[in-house]
């Protein structure tokens, strides 16, 4: 479970330093990341509403198209967020 908490802390640290777009690439069989870090994404987003976080599973059962689409959606959200900031 330590690895999952370390990842969660690292994400929060990046968000506090101004990095709001985060891709969490999760390897096959990384149980701590799936349980702890993935479970904390909602809490992080509640505490930091500008956070744009996506978890991507990289394992044999994950579809490459699904992975790419999730990354594209995350990038589209990031672009929309930047456009909204620019218009204010």
């Amino acid at each position: 479970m330590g690895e999952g908490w370390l990842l969660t802390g690292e994400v929060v640290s990046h968000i506090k330093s101004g990095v709001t777009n985060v891709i969490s690439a999760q390897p096959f069989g990384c149980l701590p990341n799936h349980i702890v870090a993935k479970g904390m994404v909602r809490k992080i987003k509640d505490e930091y509403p500008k956070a744009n976080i996506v978890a991507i599973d990289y394992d044999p059962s994950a579809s490459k198209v699904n992975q790419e689409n999730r990354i594209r959606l995350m990038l589209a959200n990031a672009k929309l967020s930047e456009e909204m900031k620019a218009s204010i």
Side-chain angles (χ1 to χ4, degrees):
M1 294 254 284
E3 181 181 337
W5 284 113
L6 179 62
L7 179 62
T8 302
E10 193 170 344
V11 168
V12 170
S13 176
H14 285 303
I15 291 169
K16 285 182 175 183
S17 70
V19 177
T20 56
N21 300 299
V22 178
I23 295 175
S24 175
Q26 303 174 154
F28 174 70
C30 184
L31 193 57
N33 195 23
H34 283 278
I35 293 172
V36 179
K38 218 171 185 182
M40 289 300 293
V41 168
R42 172 57 37 211
K43 180 66 176 167
I44 292 171
K45 287 182 177 183
D46 289 345
E47 292 291 319
Y48 305 96
K50 294 179 182 178
N52 184 17
I53 305 169
V54 65
I56 306 294
D57 294 325
Y58 283 92
D59 60 50
S61 67
S63 157
K64 182 177 179 179
V65 172
N66 185 37
Q67 294 166 339
E68 291 172 354
N69 285 339
R70 290 177 56 95
I71 292 170
R72 283 189 183 108
L73 179 60
M74 183 265 195
L75 293 172
N77 285 338
K79 183 178 179 183
L80 181 62
S81 177
E82 287 299 315
E83 290 171 356
M84 289 175 67
K85 276 192 234 176
S87 69
I88 293 178

